[in-house]
Amino acid sequence: MLSLHGVGKTYATGLRALDGVALAVAPGEIVAVVGGSGCGKSTLLRLVSGLDRPTDGEVVLDGTAITAPHERIGIVFQEPRLLPWLTVAGNVGFGLADRSRAERAERVAQALDRVGLADKAGVWPRELSGGQAQRVAIARALVTRPEVLLLDEPFSALDAFTRIDLQDHLLDLWADFKPTLLVVTHDVDEAIVLADRVTVMRPHPGRIYETIETDLPRPRDRQSAAYDFAKRRVLAALDRSLDRKAVTDDGRTMSEAGAALWW
Amino acid sequence: MSLLPVTISVDTAVAAERAPRRLARLALPALALVLPVSLAILWELLVDLGVSDGRLVPPPSTILATLSELAATGELSRHAGATVLRVAAGFGLGVAAGTLLGALTGYYALLRRLVDPTLQALRAIPSIAWIPLFILWLGIFETSKVALIAVGVFFPVYLGVMGAIASVDRKIVEVGRVFRLSGPAMVRRILLPAVLPAYVVALRSGLGLGWMFVVAAEFMGASEGLGYLLVDGQQLGKPAQIVAAILAFAVLGKLTDTLIHLLAAPFLRWEDAFGAKR
Ligand SMILES: Nc1ncnc2c1ncn2[C@@H]1O[C@H](COP(=O)(O)OP(=O)(O)OP(=O)(O)O)[C@@H](O)[C@H]1O
Ligand SMILES: [Mg+2]
């Protein structure tokens, strides 16, 4: 169980990036975090990953407070951040340095196979496309079998087709051993396809504004009415989070174009 | 039956396409030789024809004769050997000190604040200006020469390493942090590989300065070394010997630079930079 208790973050500049964020994520649950630009989503993930420390409150994973990077928490950044001097296999195996060579080779091969890049094991990162590089980054994060995987806009730099492809791929990988996923995204569709729960944040300072249970069966049909309904609820919540004009709860009165424009 | 000519013609087409390319690969570097070689031939002809007596600017044939004579008597290898030893010792010391200090100041910001301004001030001194002091302190023999070369090598290496370490991408360092690397592991698995390309550049410019400073060091009094050959040639009016020594410097400088390049190449195959593949 990953829980955040009254987490706040004030940067050295004096900027209050997060305030009083409380969130509990059950093991195996997928939670998406959406919100306008600058509302503290990346800050939140950095606190959970232990890369930064909260100035108030605490992040707790199964009873231990997270104050530094933890072996049971992995993270995928917005950019692949592959190490250019290691081959694809070397990158995927980066977190397995303490394992025996044979075990490492086996798990790397398995992970690469799982993301469909078995044939790329020996190539340099510079030879990968953007989508392939991000798949390698996901494999690198998953190869150590973290209980919690954080993803910060993992597919935002990719084109729409690749993005949809990788979303399905991520769900496949998730099904392998069901880690907890905390996904930050700009893309409402991505949030709804992936998440059990969508958390909408509002800025100045960043806090949780509303949480929406998507409550859709998996695998999700992007065309279904229930999907559309969930999407409208999230869009409506996003609009309200920015103190825009009032909209009814199901968002029917809201113009979709207007809602999609601001972030 | 009908397939055969087709395959052959494709093969020959491919071969025909490849041949000029191979030619181009050989011919392009050769292009660089056109100017110096034709100038040399021209000078040789002018001296042969008596247009110039070639006393102050010896023709290539005289230089080659001097070189082979120096080589035959063992003089060349004795002098070159002495110079190479000095450069090697000075380069080793300079690189060791520059790498250590550069790495420490690059890694610890506080140490950088403390040490870097002083070193930058020292760097502003033309290194040749140290010669009198080094001679007073260390005597006129090998120690002061090696010290001067080491000072010359130190600064580019120090600056290169410090700059490279301090500017390693925070995003890459965070990858190391996420996988909970310890301090030494972070240095070995993230920082060192990340700075290696810049380090090789720093080593090469350090080596270049090393060759420059060995000449200055040997000017200040030496009984052997290529720099001694230069001074000796000047004092006894032997321009061919001077040019021969200069040629030896050029060859040694280029050889050692290529050596560093070749030794580093296997570790830099991953580089993805403009010009990395040329
Ligand atoms: N290292 C930092 N120092 C000071 N302020 C920061 C720092 N990092 C982020 N901020 C500020 O904190 C706020 C939240 O930033 P954060 O990166 O978490 O936003 P975000 O929700 O991820 O935005 P986006 O969707 O654009 O990525 C912003 O106002 C930003 O300017
Ligand atoms: Mg962000």
Side-chain angles (χ1 to χ4, degrees), chain B residues 2-54:
Chain B
S2 67
L3 271 179
L4 205 54
V6 177
T7 22
I8 286 173
S9 71
V10 167
D11 270 1
T12 45
V14 169
E17 196 182 295
R18 245 182 237 151
R21 235 188 276 152
R22 194 177 316 140
L23 201 68
R25 207 165 359 162
L26 293 176
L28 279 180
L31 223 51
L33 291 175
V34 172
L35 189 63
V37 168
S38 38
L39 280 181
I41 292 174
L42 183 71
W43 189 241
E44 187 74 51
L45 284 176
L46 287 180
V47 173
D48 267 5
L49 297 172
V51 180
S52 162
D53 63 2

Side-chain angles (χ1 to χ4, degrees), chain A residues 166-244:
Chain A
L166 287 197
Q167 287 159 3
D168 294 342
H169 218 99
L170 179 66
L171 286 173
D172 274 358
L173 294 172
W174 170 79
D176 282 354
F177 59 102
K178 300 237 161 86
T180 305
L181 297 189
L182 194 55
V183 190
V184 164
T185 176
H186 267 150
D187 180 350
V188 175
D189 280 296
E190 184 163 287
I192 293 165
V193 166
L194 296 177
D196 302 313
R197 209 152 34 113
V198 180
T199 294
V200 179
M201 290 183 65
R202 72 182 299 180
H204 314 300
R207 61 226 122 112
I208 292 183
Y209 177 68
E210 199 172 322
T211 297
I212 293 154
E213 307 272 344
T214 52
D215 206 17
L216 298 171
R218 292 182 192 277
R220 290 179 181 171
D221 176 3
R222 289 178 171 84
Q223 255 55 272
S224 73
Y227 178 94
D228 223 42
F229 179 65
K231 182 172 169 181
R232 280 163 184 282
R233 280 169 64 206
V234 172
L235 283 171
L238 272 169
D239 236 27
R240 277 193 310 261
S241 78
L242 289 179
D243 293 331
R244 290 298 197 77

Side-chain angles (χ1 to χ4, degrees), chain A residues 11-13 15-17 35-44 52 78 152-153 184 186 201 204:
Chain A
Y11 278 110
T13 54
L15 187 124
R16 186 82 178 145
S37 184
C39 71
K41 305 182 297 292
S42 298
T43 305
L44 182 71
D52 283 336
Q78 181 166 352
D152 191 355
E153 301 185 27
V184 164
H186 267 150
M201 290 183 65
H204 314 300

Side-chain angles (χ1 to χ4, degrees), chain A residues 85-105:
Chain A
W85 54 85
L86 294 179
T87 60
V88 164
N91 269 286
V92 172
F94 190 78
L96 298 176
D98 52 344
R99 314 299 168 91
S100 73
R101 183 182 290 266
E103 184 189 347
R104 191 168 49 207

